[in-house]
Amino acid sequence: MQRIFDMNILVTGANGFIGKNLILELENAGYSSVYPYDVDTKEELLDDYARCCDFVFHLAGVNRPKDEKEFMEGNFGFTSVLLEKLKKYHNPAPILITSSIQAQLDNPYGKSKRAGEELLLSYAEETGARVIIYRLPNVFGKWCRPNYNSVVATFCHNIANGLDIRLDDPKTVMNLVYIDDVIREFFAAMDGKEHRNGDFSSVPAVHTVRLGEIAESLYRFRNGRSDLSVPNLSNEFEKKLYSTYLSYLPKDDFSYPLHMHTDERGSFTEFLRTPDRGQVSVNISRPGVTKGNHWHHTKCEKFLVVKGTGCIRFRKIGEEEIITYHVSDKNLTVVDIPTGYTHSITNEGDTDMITVMWANEAFDPDRPDTYFEKVEVKP
């Protein structure tokens, strides 16, 4: 039995959005014999690949030609060429083709996709080869070309670059699949575990969302640099859309400054704020400086000293006992700051001490939930 990583895999449309993601993941997974084929590949190589391939990912296609006749030439004609090559060498390799949900529509693009599907089904009946046809909805993710055939890519690119977007009907409903989910499904298909329903297969993780909601989310992502917010990553679509958006940032705009609150004691800088997972900040204390001496009703925190040496002290409100923890960057330790305990942190070293601080809620100046009381009790 052939080991799966010894498979010779032909990928047409190798330079496209899906092809690029697929090939890199095949290589990451250890497949050493991947044959990429695209419009700029020497034609004679297709014979070589068709003769020895063990699996075919047929991703090549035409989406936005200058002339409508190119739909049929690219989506049907090249499929015919590929299948004839496989028949020429009596190669029954399984073939996976990416079609479109538009194959059900009566437009030039849909007709060309449907013709390619029918050709493949006839090929399967004639040769007995296993065929897998994916009628994909809109696919989004990194490396998708903006201003081409993906509204998500176009919106991400424009908003990240400060350009206007065109939003004709915010209520338009989109069905979207994420590129990583597509590639994961394709790997399952190689193993004969595709999600099939009759002649067609599908990616199970489909996100249904209105076009206006996509735009709103992307504008929130852009504004996150100023308000320090990150989206609710427990929402699968938001998580995937956020990762996609960041991949469209201009190459000279990956960084952004934070506002540092500085005084003679050091500095305090908010890093991230979320509506449901709290806030992360960075605190820098000068040697000998003590900060804190306050307590909270509901706000709880976690302190992690990542540079320097310090001492964290606690005292339960209404009591006199002082609890002490010594911390340093030599042995990274998280210290929980419970509610109802006044607390302080002191830099006991000779250099600045840096502490990463997490709070379970973002600071609200109208409801600070912070009450000053020294840890040390006067005798």
Side-chain angles (χ1 to χ4, degrees):
M1 181 177 179
Q2 182 184 35
R3 292 191 305 114
I4 191 167
F5 295 123
D6 288 338
M7 291 175 64
N8 299 317
I9 301 175
L10 168 59
V11 181
T12 72
N15 295 333
F17 165 45
I18 298 177
K20 184 176 180 180
N21 277 273
L22 174 62
I23 288 174
L24 287 172
E25 193 56 23
L26 287 169
E27 293 173 351
N28 289 339
Y31 291 91
S32 58
S33 299
V34 178
Y35 304 139
Y37 190 88
D38 214 292
V39 292
D40 57 353
T41 307
K42 294 180 180 179
E43 290 186 23
E44 56 266 27
L45 286 177
L46 187 59
D47 275 274
D48 296 337
Y49 297 161
R51 181 174 60 251
C52 65
C53 66
D54 302 303
F55 196 98
V56 180
F57 286 99
H58 182 31
L59 314 179
V62 175
N63 296 310
R64 285 197 175 186
K66 295 180 180 179
D67 191 321
E68 285 187 355
K69 69 179 183 180
E70 294 178 37
F71 277 131
M72 197 61 70
E73 293 172 359
N75 296 327
F76 174 81
F78 180 68
T79 300
S80 301
V81 171
L82 174 62
L83 297 183
E84 287 301 321
K85 297 287 187 185
L86 292 170
K87 287 194 287 186
K88 175 182 176 181
Y89 296 107
H90 306 286
N91 187 346
I95 179 168
L96 181 155
I97 186 173
T98 49
S99 184
S100 167
I101 55 174
Q102 291 199 42
Q104 303 172 79
L105 303 180
D106 194 29
N107 57 41
Y109 177 68
K111 289 178 179 179
S112 67
K113 282 296 187 180
R114 188 162 61 250
E117 293 175 351
E118 293 170 352
L119 186 64
L120 202 66
L121 291 171
S122 297
Y123 171 79
E125 186 174 350
E126 176 186 350
T127 65
R130 175 172 162 251
V131 301
I132 311 107
I133 302 172
Y134 280 92
R135 280 185 169 177
L136 296 175
N138 295 276
V139 185
F140 72 103
K142 64 184 183 302
W143 305 328
C144 188
R145 178 179 167 187
N147 302 306
Y148 184 57
N149 67 331
S150 168
V151 67
V152 173
T154 301
F155 279 11
C156 283
H157 172 269
N158 285 17
I159 292 173
N161 285 272
L163 304 174
D164 291 334
I165 62 170
R166 177 176 174 177
L167 187 59
D168 294 330
D169 184 0
K171 295 181 180 179
T172 299
V173 175
M174 304 283 293
N175 289 316
L176 302 165
V177 288
Y178 184 53
I179 186 61
D180 288 6
D181 294 326
V182 173
I183 302 306
R184 189 176 298 111
E185 173 67 17
F186 284 2
F187 270 64
M190 281 197 295
D191 200 30
K193 298 178 181 178
E194 68 272 14
H195 289 81
R196 182 186 288 265
N197 182 13
D199 291 333
F200 304 104
S201 298
S202 61
V203 178
V206 178
H207 302 281
T208 301
V209 60
R210 289 186 175 87
L211 194 58
E213 294 172 339
I214 296 173
E216 290 172 3
S217 292
L218 294 175
Y219 280 118
R220 282 199 307 271
F221 300 163
R222 186 186 69 179
N223 295 337
R225 287 185 159 195
S226 56
D227 61 24
L228 306 183
S229 64
V230 290
N232 179 6
L233 302 181
S234 64
N235 181 306
E236 277 293 309
F237 177 70
E238 286 273 299
K239 179 177 70 174
K240 296 166 183 175
L241 186 63
Y242 186 59
S243 295
T244 301
Y245 169 77
L246 292 180
S247 73
Y248 287 87
L249 289 174
K251 293 179 180 179
D252 59 353
D253 196 28
F254 287 171
S255 67
Y256 57 99
L258 298 175
H259 178 62
M260 298 178 66
H261 301 273
T262 60
D263 57 27
E264 69 281 356
R265 301 174 304 160
S267 66
F268 180 82
T269 307
E270 294 183 7
F271 173 33
L272 295 175
R273 295 169 65 94
T274 72
D276 61 328
R277 300 299 171 93
Q279 171 180 306
V280 178
S281 306
V282 178
N283 184 70
I284 299 177
S285 301
R286 305 295 186 211
V289 165
T290 296
K291 292 187 177 182
N293 281 315
H294 58 237
W295 61 280
H296 314 287
H297 280 302
T298 301
K299 183 182 295 182
C300 57
E301 299 169 288
K302 292 180 183 289
F303 288 2
L304 173 63
V305 170
V306 296
K307 179 185 177 184
T309 301
C311 178
I312 301 174
R313 294 182 176 90
F314 302 91
R315 180 176 59 81
K316 191 173 185 179
I317 298 301
E319 298 183 2
E320 296 184 357
E321 179 187 8
I322 295 177
I323 304 166
T324 301
Y325 286 85
H326 292 278
V327 291
S328 79
D329 56 11
K330 304 302 181 185
N331 184 20
L332 294 184
T333 303
V334 175
V335 178
D336 277 315
I337 312 298
T339 56
Y341 280 80
T342 185
H343 51 277
S344 66
I345 181 168
T346 302
N347 182 352
E348 297 184 315
D350 298 325
T351 60
D352 286 355
M353 179 178 68
I354 301 176
T355 307
V356 177
M357 297 178 169
W358 170 86
N360 67 330
E361 58 186 34
F363 178 72
D364 181 354
D366 294 327
R367 300 181 62 185
D369 187 18
T370 300
Y371 305 92
F372 290 94
E373 183 170 330
K374 289 185 174 181
V375 175
E376 304 290 343
V377 180
K378 293 183 179 180

